Amino acid sequence: MNKNTLLFLFLIMIFIISCNSKDNKTDYKEVVYRAVHQKDTAILVININEKRFFGRYEILYHQIGKDSGDVRGDIKGDTLRGDFHYISNGGSWKRIPLAFLKKDDKLISGNGVIGTYMSLPCFIQGTLNYNDPKFVFEEIKK
């Protein structure tokens, strides 16, 4: 094989690989949610497709401060599960698990006992529930 043939094959391989990328950013839809609990407000801006989500999450605590950071995770059926990596009230970085149940065009925040698995925070199996949620998010239409 000569150099031109090798170069041509190399370019074809790059083209094929680039066309088969897993997540195309244009497949995502941006959705804005807001929830209010007593005097606290949470804002969730996520980019979502059929399998994954990522975005920003901010919890504004009335007259205390806020938790602000990034969310990301996977979607299985009507459940969004991932993590929230944030700065707590302007302090240090923290990472906690996150779960939402999608029901009637709302996102219900889940709660449970938090543990770690392979140095990553997660809900201990069997403890995650959506009873008595702190936040129930409603979509904000643009």
Side-chain angles (χ1 to χ4, degrees):
M1 283 192 199
N2 64 22
K3 290 181 183 180
N4 289 337
T5 306
L6 288 175
L7 180 63
F8 179 74
L9 290 174
F10 178 73
L11 291 174
I12 288 177
M13 286 178 41
I14 289 177
F15 177 76
I16 291 171
I17 291 170
S18 67
C19 289
N20 291 330
S21 65
K22 284 187 177 182
D23 284 338
N24 187 350
K25 297 289 184 198
T26 60
D27 292 341
Y28 286 89
K29 172 186 163 192
E30 183 177 87
V31 185
V32 179
Y33 291 96
R34 180 180 57 211
V36 177
H37 179 261
Q38 296 173 354
K39 293 185 178 183
D40 299 338
T41 303
I43 308 262
L44 178 65
V45 180
I46 57 174
N47 295 288
I48 189 168
N49 69 13
E50 296 161 2
K51 296 179 182 178
R52 302 185 64 73
F53 69 95
F54 66 93
R56 299 281 303 160
Y57 186 29
E58 188 168 89
I59 304 170
L60 304 160
Y61 301 104
H62 181 69
Q63 295 183 341
I64 296 175
K66 68 179 179 178
D67 293 343
S68 179
D70 298 319
V71 294
R72 65 177 177 179
D74 297 321
I75 301 171
K76 291 183 181 162
D78 58 357
T79 306
L80 288 76
R81 291 187 71 168
D83 62 40
F84 178 32
H85 189 216
Y86 66 100
I87 295 179
S88 177
N89 284 325
S92 60
W93 283 96
K94 295 184 180 182
R95 185 181 302 270
I96 60 170
L98 185 70
F100 297 108
L101 178 65
K102 192 169 193 172
K103 185 176 183 181
D104 300 327
D105 294 328
K106 296 181 180 181
L107 292 180
I108 302 168
S109 63
N111 54 60
V113 178
I114 298 174
T116 57
Y117 178 73
M118 296 177 59
S119 299
L120 293 173
C122 61
F123 291 110
I124 294 178
Q125 191 170 4
T127 66
L128 177 61
N129 69 73
Y130 300 94
N131 305 327
D132 193 31
K134 182 170 182 180
F135 292 113
V136 177
F137 291 87
E138 295 186 22
E139 184 176 345
I140 298 173
K141 303 289 183 186
K142 292 182 179 180

